[in-house]
Amino acid sequence: MLSALLLSTLAMIAIVALRYLAVSGAFAVLTARVRPGYHAGLRPQIRREIGWSLASAAIFGIPAGVVAFGWDRFGWTLIYSDWTDYPLWYLPLSVFIYLFAHDTWFYWTHRLMHRPKVFRAAHAVHHASRPPTAWAAMSFHPIEALTGAVVVPVLVFIVPIHIAMLGVVLAVMTVMGVTNHMGWEMFPRWLVRSAVGGWIITASHHQLHHERYKCNYGLYFRFWDRLCKTDRGLSESFLR
């Protein structure tokens, strides 16, 4: 049993690491084509980002591996695989619940990370990326990585979700984490400035956090930033 648990954990670490390398690598290539020269002179920074991100992948993979082992061996969690277990309308709702719960956790822990002592001890690693690149999405100090690694493993014990919808949640987590750090806005201006765009976080919004630090703390949605009056809009450098 111990060997199976170890294999599950190692497999999840490898999956998280490869997912990071594949997605960040793809968007880094896209950045090089769309914004030639953006990465010029950033090779030492990018090496650091990749190093911290691979360490974070190990931290994210451990609880994921334990949960995957428990689900497969003992039926732990509320993850289900039969499409008829819950109504079809619950499928997108479960994705939203997971993303909103994660966004809520992230917003408040992110604000905590900006307390001076905590920032110096942990979050400064992430903000050392100046400017952020696609490789910075998981560039966290282990303390910060731990705060993010527990969210989904806890939620699967509380909120039922189809295994395919869990895949959607993980895909959104990965892609938005990368695209929000690319240093340029990949979405059209009409969408970013639309009513829908006013509630969704893209690179234009998150870039301002990296410029000013004390604002725009959200991950997916602008709900908490707006409610708590920490939303400062979009980066002017992206609006030119």
Side-chain angles (χ1 to χ4, degrees), residues 52-209:
W52 284 113
S53 295
L54 292 178
S56 295
I59 293 171
F60 274 75
I62 292 171
V66 172
V67 168
F69 169 79
W71 175 66
D72 179 63
R73 185 67 64 94
F74 303 110
W76 294 350
T77 81
L78 296 178
I79 300 171
Y80 62 97
S81 56
D82 190 330
W83 294 99
T84 62
D85 282 353
Y86 288 83
L88 291 179
W89 58 260
Y90 180 70
L91 295 173
L93 177 60
S94 64
V95 172
F96 175 77
I97 291 172
Y98 270 65
L99 293 179
F100 186 76
H102 188 196
D103 187 71
T104 300
W105 173 261
F106 182 88
Y107 176 85
W108 291 105
T109 56
H110 194 186
R111 286 192 67 169
L112 175 63
M113 289 288 167
H114 277 267
R115 295 288 184 90
K117 289 184 179 179
V118 184
F119 185 89
R120 289 193 297 270
H123 197 47
V125 167
H126 186 66
H127 276 277
S129 294
R130 300 190 185 95
T133 76
W135 297 105
M138 291 183 65
S139 182
F140 305 130
H141 185 279
I143 293 174
E144 184 171 2
L146 280 170
T147 68
V150 300
V151 180
V152 172
V154 169
L155 284 173
V156 296
F157 287 95
I158 301 173
V159 183
I161 189 167
H162 191 278
I163 185 66
M165 296 302 99
L166 182 58
V168 172
V169 170
L170 296 174
V172 172
M173 287 173 57
T174 303
V175 172
M176 287 192 70
V178 174
T179 58
N180 288 350
H181 288 90
M182 290 196 302
W184 58 280
E185 183 60 78
M186 67 175 293
F187 297 103
R189 181 180 292 242
W190 65 263
L191 177 60
V192 175
R193 303 303 296 268
S194 70
V196 173
W199 290 97
I200 304 296
I201 292 173
T202 65
S204 299
H205 186 267
H206 191 66
Q207 178 70 19
L208 194 64
H209 172 74

Side-chain angles (χ1 to χ4, degrees), residues 212-224:
R212 298 188 186 178
Y213 287 43
K214 297 293 185 179
C215 64
N216 296 16
Y217 295 104
L219 180 60
Y220 307 118
F221 310 113
R222 294 170 66 172
F223 172 80
W224 287 109

Side-chain angles (χ1 to χ4, degrees), residues 23-77:
V23 178
S24 288
F27 281 104
V29 170
L30 180 62
T31 298
R33 293 181 177 179
V34 176
R35 293 289 189 275
Y38 181 77
H39 292 154
L42 295 180
R43 286 189 178 183
Q45 174 185 308
I46 290 173
R47 284 196 294 269
R48 289 194 302 272
E49 290 171 347
I50 294 173
W52 284 113
S53 295
L54 292 178
S56 295
I59 293 171
F60 274 75
I62 292 171
V66 172
V67 168
F69 169 79
W71 175 66
D72 179 63
R73 185 67 64 94
F74 303 110
W76 294 350
T77 81

Side-chain angles (χ1 to χ4, degrees), residues 5-16:
L5 175 59
L6 179 60
L7 285 173
S8 176
T9 302
L10 291 175
M12 290 307 299
I13 291 173
I15 289 171
V16 175

